Amino acid sequence: MKLVSNIGRAATPISILKQRNFGLIWSAMTVSQMGAQMETVVVVWYVLNLTDSPLLVGLTATARLGFNFIALFAGATADMVSRRTLMMIVQVVLTSMALLMLVLITTDLIEVWHIFVITLLAGLARVFQMPTAQSLAVDSVVPERIPNAVALISAAMNLALIVGPIIGGLLFDLFGPEGAYVMIMSVYILSGSLTFL
């Protein structure tokens, strides 16, 4: 009987995923973060293949974080506007940037400066994503479940950090940058759809 009780207590934090809105926003965050981690690997490998320059690889990786200094402003924005709308805008921007990369790669028109601009713009969108998504997630649960919600969000982000780069590398290896960006774009569309619901 004690074992059943302990298992029930251990499963309690996970049961919060049954709450529709929290489950949807948690899934949207997880999927989007997975896409971001996949994209990190794909874009730096692509730059390395394109330029054979470790310096440009480092600069590309840094460009993803170029707007992190406005994170406080992003949090304040998430408090002032509709969080759901802001989250959907972020997903539209991320999807558009992935589509633009895909078009430039497949038409062979891509240049390194394109990658920097696209990476900077996607990084800007991501600055708004995390505070908005976290606020939406916390808003979707009753106050006594907030610690569970925060723990599950943290677990999802850590899972994405581990699994996303592996999937990104595998996609790049199997399908090249074009196939990888098709998947990344699809992941962002899925995340936006979950947010919309």
Side-chain angles (χ1 to χ4, degrees), residues 44-65:
V44 296
W45 268 107
Y46 183 68
V47 169
L48 185 61
N49 287 347
L50 191 65
T51 66
D52 201 28
S53 169
L55 175 62
L56 290 176
V57 168
L59 290 173
T60 302
T62 302
R64 293 176 60 78
L65 308 172

Side-chain angles (χ1 to χ4, degrees), residues 23-29 31 189-197:
L24 287 169
I25 196 62
W26 181 86
S27 299
M29 290 172 65
V31 167
I189 290 170
L190 174 60
S191 179
S193 301
L194 290 167
T195 303
F196 178 76
L197 293 171

Side-chain angles (χ1 to χ4, degrees), residues 65-185:
L65 308 172
F67 286 107
N68 276 10
F69 65 93
I70 63 166
L72 289 175
F73 171 74
T77 303
D79 288 337
M80 293 187 297
V81 300
S82 164
R83 293 173 181 152
R84 180 174 170 260
T85 303
L86 185 56
M87 182 72 172
M88 288 172 50
I89 290 169
V90 166
Q91 293 311 130
V92 167
V93 170
L94 292 175
T95 303
S96 301
M97 295 300 102
L99 176 61
L100 182 57
M101 276 291 286
L102 179 62
V103 168
L104 289 172
I105 291 169
T106 55
T107 58
D108 205 27
L109 295 173
I110 196 156
E111 295 182 25
V112 176
W113 73 267
H114 294 137
I115 298 170
F116 284 121
V117 170
I118 291 168
T119 304
L120 273 171
L121 291 174
L124 176 60
R126 278 191 201 89
V127 169
F128 287 87
Q129 182 181 31
M130 195 50 63
T132 305
Q134 287 175 335
S135 297
L136 268 174
V138 168
D139 287 348
S140 67
V141 297
V142 293
E144 59 267 19
R145 300 303 300 270
I146 288 175
N148 291 348
V150 171
L152 281 172
I153 291 165
S154 179
M157 298 307 103
N158 289 331
L159 179 66
L161 282 170
I162 295 166
V163 177
I166 295 169
I167 295 172
L170 186 63
L171 288 170
F172 191 93
D173 190 42
L174 294 175
F175 306 109
E178 299 91 345
Y181 266 101
V182 167
M183 184 62 175
I184 290 165
M185 190 175 62

